[in-house]
Amino acid sequence: MYMLTEQWYLFGSAILAVLLYALYQNFFHPLSRYPGPLLARFTDYWRFRDVRGRQCHLTRVALHEKHGPVSPFYHPFQGWVGDKIGYNLFTTRDATTHSMLKQPVATAYSFKSALEFEPIVDECIETMVTRLDEMIVQSKTKKPCDLGAWMQYYSFDVMAIMTWGKAFGFLDRGEDVNSMIQRLDERMDVISPQSQMPWLDWLQTKNGIVNLFRDRTNKFATLAASLIQERQKALADGSAKPSPRLFIDHFLDAQRMHPTVVDARTIVIYTTTNIMAGSDTVAIALRTILYMVMRHADVRERLLAEIDTAKPSFPVTWEEAQRLPYLDAVIQESLRIHPPVGLPLERVVPAEGLMMQDAPIWGPEPKTFNPSRWLKAVDESAEEHTRRVAAMKRASLAFGAGSRTCMGRHLSLVQIAKLVPSLLIKFKLTLVDKERDWKVTAGWFVRQAEMDVFIESK
Ligand code: HEM
């Protein structure tokens, strides 16, 4: 009798706990005033399942359409670096830590520094065009080229040279050396859904027991540490080229000037953050631009005509690219229609909320790819146009906004605005199957695949 009462007591307590939890989540949780899917009110499993389905970029848009301008929040993830959890510019939620990490290295990401990197971008464009010509164009059989993969080879190699002074060798070899890109993609596929349920991340990777048995060899961090040492040695013995100044040179200066904030481990984190933040994002933007240009005959004709008239040099300089307004419109529109980051790090937004695709600011048919929306309309004055474009750029969240805006945005635009016209000067690019859509899989990055292209020399 006593046992039975005790069992009922335990059962009743469990039911009460569940009811109290449901009551709290539904009525008192700080986010409970926001509408959304019912299951998401009670568990992060909804988010986990959505991201694991790899189409979360579409779910977010559908939710905005259904519920209006609301924005949820989440706990970002941090990974192990050595024996400690590594906080980087992205993953720290604390504003003071963020500005402490940002301030010592901000100049490395300035527009002036981005332009100093131009010779590195040129070097990579030349390597890419030469290798595409040798491997694809000159090949005896007309074979399709996975242009999307080449965009990754380019963005990873450019970022590696700018960061450490040494390419991964993807462009040179025309392949994913040691399957490094594939392994990073696979890791992202695990982390993306995991990061939606912080307790799952703790259970699988961060708790004390897992920590005892986990594999401590972080190959990426080890590679970064050895490249940093190599650069330090070259700087010490005078064999390092003084210009352009690489990211690592800026980071080492930051260490000298702010030794209490920037230690050896922080430098490793800065460099690996650069590769993680600045490679896939640029590759995705480049794929969107080229895909849209190949798919829309009117856009292609207009862009090619603009480039033909301007007769820029090869590789196209940043200054020349600045004189191609339609190219700029194509870039802006591509970043708007397919933002590379699929799970934007959720931040505090203005009280009235923020909206991307539906906002009236975009003009008619916001879901259609239409670079002309960025150009001056016939009945618009120059001032009105400047004001409208500035407002559209503010509304475009591809690079984030506010104090957390992407630090590499200038640099990415330099890489993109130079490569696109340079490729179009040298090659005629045609999709192998014009009717077939590319394949998009979303997580932290909204990656595209199946973009096979025929490349002919011009
Ligand atoms: C088209 C290319 C790129 C896109 C779309 C992009 C997008 C973003 C986004 C959405 C954020 C997060 C904003 C937030 O936290 O709310 C971000 C942050 C960041 N990005 Fe980029 N990014 C690009 C290229 C790059 C490049 C080339 C670099 C490196 C040179 C870079 C370095 C960073 C860094 C360091 C941050 C953290 C900034 C901070 O928290 O202060 N990104 N980026």
Side-chain angles (χ1 to χ4, degrees):
M1 183 63 187
Y2 174 74
M3 285 287 289
L4 202 64
T5 316
E6 190 182 30
Q7 278 169 357
W8 275 110
Y9 177 74
L10 283 173
F11 181 66
S13 305
I15 297 274
L16 189 67
V18 169
L19 282 175
L20 284 175
Y21 175 77
L23 206 67
Y24 171 76
Q25 291 291 111
N26 208 29
F27 296 107
F28 302 105
H29 190 282
L31 298 181
S32 60
R33 65 195 162 105
Y34 296 112
L38 184 66
L39 187 61
R41 292 193 158 256
F42 305 105
T43 164
D44 286 339
Y45 176 71
W46 181 87
R47 300 179 64 137
F48 173 84
R49 195 187 55 183
D50 180 44
V51 174
R52 204 184 47 181
R54 296 182 175 197
Q55 295 297 309
C56 54
H57 59 306
L58 301 179
T59 322
R60 310 281 136 150
V61 175
L63 283 177
H64 275 303
E65 280 171 358
K66 186 167 172 200
H67 298 295
V70 293
S71 178
F73 301 91
Y74 80 112
H75 298 278
F77 64 95
Q78 292 98 15
W80 287 102
V81 177
D83 272 339
K84 285 199 239 158
I85 302 291
Y87 294 89
N88 62 33
L89 283 158
F90 288 98
T91 58
T92 179
R93 296 173 67 206
D94 176 50
T96 315
T97 314
H98 176 255
S99 97
M100 231 166 66
L101 284 170
K102 182 172 171 172
Q103 197 258 329
V105 294
T107 50
Y109 297 88
S110 68
F111 187 55
K112 184 168 165 278
S113 299
L115 291 187
E116 283 168 16
F117 283 125
E118 219 180 325
I120 295 177
V121 180
D122 286 342
E123 178 191 328
C124 289
I125 292 177
E126 278 166 13
T127 311
M128 180 170 179
V129 166
T130 310
R131 296 300 285 136
L132 277 174
D133 190 55
E134 290 164 357
M135 295 175 71
I136 312 285
V137 180
Q138 303 300 331
S139 130
K140 289 199 176 65
T141 51
K142 188 179 177 188
K143 60 175 177 182
C145 164
D146 181 356
L147 196 61
W150 280 85
M151 293 305 112
Q152 252 175 329
Y153 302 160
Y154 167 78
S155 60
F156 270 84
D157 270 352
V158 171
M159 219 47 247
I161 304 179
M162 288 176 181
T163 302
W164 295 304
K166 209 168 184 175
F168 290 117
F170 299 136
L171 284 176
D172 219 24
R173 302 252 305 259
E175 64 177 27
D176 178 7
V177 184
N178 297 329
S179 307
M180 190 180 147
I181 294 177
Q182 189 194 329
R183 280 187 281 125
L184 280 176
D185 283 353
E186 285 166 1
R187 182 83 195 109
M188 271 294 173
D189 289 343
V190 173
I191 290 177
S192 296
Q194 199 179 49
S195 64
Q196 303 302 297
M197 292 181 87
W199 65 266
L200 189 66
D201 174 46
W202 178 84
L203 194 71
Q204 292 182 336
T205 61
K206 306 267 168 67
N207 67 74
I209 298 171
V210 173
N211 187 26
L212 281 179
F213 298 105
R214 79 187 162 84
D215 178 5
R216 286 187 147 58
T217 51
N218 178 340
K219 289 198 181 98
F220 196 31
T222 312
L223 172 73
S226 80
L227 289 169
I228 293 165
Q229 270 182 7
E230 231 175 79
R231 182 72 184 172
Q232 278 176 307
K233 204 164 147 271
L235 286 169
D237 66 22
S239 62
K241 271 201 279 177
S243 147
R245 287 190 74 226
L246 306 177
F247 275 105
I248 177 64
D249 302 341
H250 287 277
F251 300 156
L252 289 167
D253 276 355
Q255 186 180 27
R256 274 187 289 279
M257 283 152 66
H258 306 268
T260 50
V261 179
V262 184
D263 58 9
R265 192 167 155 276
T266 311
I267 295 191
V268 170
I269 295 174
Y270 280 144
T271 61
T272 50
T273 303
N274 250 16
I275 306 294
M276 297 305 289
S279 303
D280 269 316
T281 45
V282 170
I284 291 169
L286 283 166
R287 284 188 200 127
T288 311
I289 294 164
L290 293 173
Y291 179 78
M292 293 300 172
V293 168
M294 286 186 285
R295 275 216 136 179
H296 296 83
D298 53 332
V299 174
R300 186 174 59 242
E301 297 316 318
R302 188 160 178 186
L303 182 58
L304 289 177
E306 183 179 74
I307 297 170
D308 277 354
T309 313
K311 298 201 179 4
S313 40
F314 175 83
V316 176
T317 65
W318 169 251
E319 213 191 324
E320 288 165 338
Q322 289 306 96
R323 292 197 291 269
L324 302 174
Y326 193 65
L327 171 70
D328 184 51
V330 171
I331 296 172
Q332 297 297 343
E333 184 67 349
S334 300
L335 285 168
R336 185 189 76 86
I337 208 86
H338 189 101
V341 181
L343 290 169
L345 295 133
E346 291 150 20
R347 310 292 188 201
V348 179
V349 302
E352 66 275 18
L354 277 174
M355 177 79 84
M356 284 196 80
Q357 289 189 335
D358 287 9
I361 185 82
W362 303 120
E365 299 185 44
K367 287 190 178 170
T368 307
F369 179 78
N370 174 19
S372 296
R373 73 175 85 246
W374 295 87
L375 302 176
K376 192 170 100 51
V378 219
D379 55 353
E380 196 176 30
S381 71
E383 293 77 42
E384 279 166 351
H385 174 237
T386 311
R387 221 174 305 127
R388 187 171 58 83
V389 168
M392 292 207 294
K393 284 192 175 165
R394 272 198 307 278
S396 175
L397 293 180
F399 290 111
S403 67
R404 313 296 287 246
T405 306
C406 171
M407 290 168 73
R409 64 195 182 285
H410 304 304
L411 191 52
S412 59
L413 291 176
V414 171
Q415 294 175 49
I416 293 168
K418 282 170 67 69
L419 178 70
V420 172
S422 299
L423 277 180
L424 295 175
I425 287 175
K426 287 287 173 188
F427 300 124
K428 181 173 173 227
L429 307 172
T430 328
L431 279 168
V432 170
D433 185 348
K434 288 193 197 95
E435 302 309 315
R436 201 181 66 180
D437 289 339
W438 58 10
K439 190 172 159 219
V440 175
T441 45
W444 280 92
F445 297 127
V446 189
R447 294 193 305 253
Q448 318 95 323
E450 300 181 12
M451 233 183 97
D452 283 355
V453 168
F454 287 125
I455 307 185
E456 294 161 79
S457 81
K458 272 190 156 174

